[in-house]
Protein backbone atom coordinates (compact mmCIF):
# COMPACT_ATOMS: atom_id res chain seq x y z
CA UNK A 1 0.00 0.00 0.00
CA UNK A 2 2.86 2.38 0.88
CA UNK A 3 4.53 1.69 -2.49
CA UNK A 4 1.27 2.68 -4.24
CA UNK A 5 1.15 6.03 -2.43
CA UNK A 6 4.82 6.57 -3.20
CA UNK A 7 4.20 6.04 -6.94
CA UNK A 8 1.17 8.35 -7.06
CA UNK A 9 3.01 11.03 -5.07
CA UNK A 10 5.86 11.13 -7.55
CA UNK A 11 3.80 11.22 -10.76
CA UNK A 12 3.70 15.00 -11.07
CA UNK A 13 0.11 15.53 -9.91
CA UNK A 14 -0.59 18.78 -8.14
CA UNK A 15 -3.48 20.37 -6.29
CA UNK A 16 -2.82 23.74 -7.93
CA UNK A 17 -5.89 25.34 -9.51
CA UNK A 18 -6.34 26.00 -13.20
CA UNK A 19 -6.58 29.78 -12.78
CA UNK A 20 -4.28 32.36 -11.18
CA UNK A 21 -4.97 32.89 -7.47
CA UNK A 22 -5.96 36.25 -6.01
CA UNK A 23 -8.24 37.22 -8.89
CA UNK A 24 -12.00 37.22 -8.47
CA UNK A 25 -13.31 39.84 -10.93
CA UNK A 26 -12.66 40.87 -14.53
CA UNK A 27 -13.82 44.04 -16.24
CA UNK A 28 -14.33 43.46 -19.96
CA UNK A 29 -14.10 46.74 -21.83
CA UNK A 30 -15.86 47.03 -25.16
CA UNK A 31 -13.25 46.18 -27.76
CA UNK A 32 -12.15 48.91 -30.16
CA UNK A 33 -13.46 48.17 -33.65
CA UNK A 34 -10.98 49.13 -36.36
CA UNK A 35 -13.12 47.65 -39.15
CA UNK A 36 -16.06 49.07 -41.03
CA UNK A 37 -18.31 46.23 -39.82
CA UNK A 38 -20.78 47.63 -37.31
CA UNK A 39 -21.60 46.35 -33.83
CA UNK A 40 -19.24 43.35 -33.86
CA UNK A 41 -17.53 44.79 -30.77
CA UNK A 42 -20.76 44.48 -28.78
CA UNK A 43 -21.22 40.85 -29.88
CA UNK A 44 -17.64 40.07 -28.82
CA UNK A 45 -17.98 41.80 -25.44
CA UNK A 46 -21.18 39.91 -24.66
CA UNK A 47 -19.62 36.60 -25.72
CA UNK A 48 -16.55 37.24 -23.53
CA UNK A 49 -18.61 38.07 -20.45
CA UNK A 50 -20.70 34.91 -20.89
CA UNK A 51 -17.60 32.73 -21.40
CA UNK A 52 -15.85 34.19 -18.34
CA UNK A 53 -18.91 33.65 -16.15
CA UNK A 54 -19.49 30.13 -17.49
CA UNK A 55 -15.98 28.70 -17.72
CA UNK A 56 -13.86 30.46 -15.08
CA UNK A 57 -14.13 31.12 -11.34
CA UNK A 58 -14.15 34.86 -12.11
CA UNK A 59 -17.10 37.19 -12.07
CA UNK A 60 -17.53 39.92 -14.65
CA UNK A 61 -17.69 43.45 -13.30
CA UNK A 62 -18.82 46.23 -15.59
CA UNK A 63 -17.35 49.13 -13.62
CA UNK A 64 -13.99 50.24 -12.35
CA UNK A 65 -12.82 48.34 -9.31
CA UNK A 66 -12.42 44.88 -10.82
CA UNK A 67 -9.21 43.02 -10.02
CA UNK A 68 -8.28 42.77 -13.70
CA UNK A 69 -9.06 44.44 -17.01
CA UNK A 70 -9.56 42.69 -20.36
CA UNK A 71 -9.43 44.96 -23.40
CA UNK A 72 -8.53 44.73 -27.05
CA UNK A 73 -9.07 45.62 -30.68
CA UNK A 74 -10.88 44.02 -33.58
CA UNK A 75 -8.23 44.58 -36.23
CA UNK A 76 -9.64 42.84 -39.30
CA UNK A 77 -12.71 41.11 -40.69
CA UNK A 78 -12.42 39.42 -44.06
CA UNK A 79 -14.76 37.40 -46.24
CA UNK A 80 -13.87 34.63 -48.66
CA UNK A 81 -16.13 32.78 -51.05
CA UNK A 82 -15.97 29.02 -50.49
CA UNK A 83 -18.39 27.89 -53.21
CA UNK A 84 -20.67 29.16 -55.96
CA UNK A 85 -24.16 28.16 -57.04
CA UNK A 86 -24.28 25.97 -60.11
CA UNK A 87 -26.82 28.25 -61.72
CA UNK A 88 -25.66 31.84 -61.93
CA UNK A 89 -22.34 31.54 -60.10
CA UNK A 90 -23.49 33.48 -57.03
CA UNK A 91 -21.80 32.91 -53.68
CA UNK A 92 -23.24 29.76 -52.13
CA UNK A 93 -21.07 29.53 -49.01
CA UNK A 94 -18.90 32.26 -47.50
CA UNK A 95 -16.23 32.24 -44.81
CA UNK A 96 -15.75 35.18 -42.44
CA UNK A 97 -12.49 35.61 -40.52
CA UNK A 98 -12.36 37.89 -37.47
CA UNK A 99 -8.92 38.89 -36.13
CA UNK A 100 -8.32 40.55 -32.78
CA UNK A 101 -5.55 41.64 -30.41
CA UNK A 102 -6.14 41.60 -26.63
CA UNK A 103 -4.51 42.26 -23.29
CA UNK A 104 -5.50 41.08 -19.81
CA UNK A 105 -3.95 43.16 -17.03
CA UNK A 106 -3.89 43.23 -13.26
CA UNK A 107 -5.34 46.61 -12.26
CA UNK A 108 -3.35 47.07 -9.07
CA UNK A 109 0.15 46.23 -10.33
CA UNK A 110 -0.38 46.99 -14.02
CA UNK A 111 1.22 43.61 -14.82
CA UNK A 112 0.12 42.06 -18.12
CA UNK A 113 -1.28 38.62 -17.33
CA UNK A 114 -1.94 37.58 -20.94
CA UNK A 115 -1.46 39.33 -24.25
CA UNK A 116 -2.02 38.01 -27.76
CA UNK A 117 -1.98 39.57 -31.21
CA UNK A 118 -3.53 38.19 -34.35
CA UNK A 119 -6.01 35.86 -32.68
CA UNK A 120 -8.29 34.79 -35.51
CA UNK A 121 -11.17 32.44 -36.04
CA UNK A 122 -13.73 31.78 -38.74
CA UNK A 123 -17.43 31.33 -39.23
CA UNK A 124 -19.41 30.40 -42.32
CA UNK A 125 -22.76 31.35 -43.77
CA UNK A 126 -24.82 30.45 -46.83
CA UNK A 127 -26.18 33.59 -48.51
CA UNK A 128 -27.68 31.75 -51.50
CA UNK A 129 -31.35 30.82 -51.58
CA UNK A 130 -33.13 28.81 -50.28
CA UNK A 131 -31.14 29.26 -47.04
CA UNK A 132 -30.29 32.95 -47.38
CA UNK A 133 -28.33 33.35 -44.14
CA UNK A 134 -27.06 36.85 -43.33
CA UNK A 135 -23.39 37.75 -42.81
CA UNK A 136 -24.03 38.13 -39.06
CA UNK A 137 -24.45 34.34 -38.68
CA UNK A 138 -20.79 33.80 -39.59
CA UNK A 139 -19.63 36.85 -37.66
CA UNK A 140 -21.37 35.58 -34.52
CA UNK A 141 -19.87 32.11 -34.97
CA UNK A 142 -16.33 33.52 -35.31
CA UNK A 143 -16.79 35.86 -32.33
CA UNK A 144 -18.03 33.00 -30.12
CA UNK A 145 -14.97 30.93 -31.02
CA UNK A 146 -12.61 33.85 -30.36
CA UNK A 147 -14.23 34.49 -26.96
CA UNK A 148 -13.69 30.84 -26.06
CA UNK A 149 -10.04 31.04 -27.15
CA UNK A 150 -9.44 34.21 -25.11
CA UNK A 151 -10.96 32.67 -21.99
CA UNK A 152 -8.88 29.52 -22.44
CA UNK A 153 -5.71 31.68 -22.25
CA UNK A 154 -6.81 32.90 -18.80
CA UNK A 155 -5.75 29.57 -17.29
CA UNK A 156 -2.55 29.40 -15.30
CA UNK A 157 0.69 28.49 -17.07
CA UNK A 158 2.01 25.11 -15.95
Amino acid sequence: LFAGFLCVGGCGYTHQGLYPEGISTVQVKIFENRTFYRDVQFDLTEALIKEIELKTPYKSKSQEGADTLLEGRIVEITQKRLSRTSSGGLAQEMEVTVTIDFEWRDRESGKVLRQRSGVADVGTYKPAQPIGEPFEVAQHMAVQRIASRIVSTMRDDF
Side-chain angles (χ1 to χ4, degrees):
L1 185 62
F2 179 71
F5 284 117
L6 189 60
C7 286
V8 170
C11 292
Y13 292 104
T14 180
H15 293 290
Q16 179 181 357
L18 289 175
Y19 296 91
E21 304 240 346
I23 298 172
S24 60
T25 55
V26 179
Q27 179 188 2
V28 180
K29 289 188 85 174
I30 295 173
F31 274 42
E32 179 185 343
N33 186 356
R34 294 185 177 171
T35 73
F36 67 88
Y37 292 92
R38 295 181 51 182
D39 298 334
V40 66
Q41 68 273 22
F42 303 117
D43 195 18
L44 178 57
T45 302
E46 181 180 345
L48 278 167
I49 290 169
K50 286 179 180 176
E51 283 287 313
I52 288 168
E53 296 272 340
L54 183 66
K55 295 184 179 175
T56 74
Y58 310 134
K59 296 296 173 205
S60 175
K61 193 168 183 180
S62 61
Q63 305 158 349
E64 301 288 327
D67 300 327
T68 60
L69 175 66
L70 179 63
E71 60 186 343
R73 291 152 300 291
I74 301 165
V75 293
E76 186 176 41
I77 298 177
T78 59
Q79 291 192 67
K80 180 171 88 173
R81 184 179 55 232
L82 297 177
S83 63
R84 296 176 190 225
T85 60
S86 57
S87 60
L90 299 173
Q92 182 170 354
E93 186 174 19
M94 298 287 291
E95 178 181 83
V96 174
T97 303
V98 178
T99 307
I100 62 110
D101 299 336
F102 77 92
E103 182 177 272
W104 184 37
R105 270 186 286 124
D106 182 283
R107 277 194 179 275
E108 190 174 314
S109 67
K111 177 184 174 191
V112 174
L113 302 170
R114 302 288 183 273
Q115 182 177 19
R116 304 284 188 276
S117 295
V119 177
D121 221 312
V122 300
T124 59
Y125 71 108
K126 295 172 176 72
Q129 294 302 327
I131 298 172
E133 292 176 325
F135 163 82
E136 289 77 16
V137 168
Q139 174 184 290
H140 183 73
M141 187 185 304
V143 161
Q144 292 294 319
R145 290 176 175 170
I146 286 175
S148 182
R149 289 180 65 189
I150 290 171
V151 169
S152 72
T153 68
M154 296 172 108
R155 291 191 197 116
D156 231 346
D157 293 332
F158 292 100

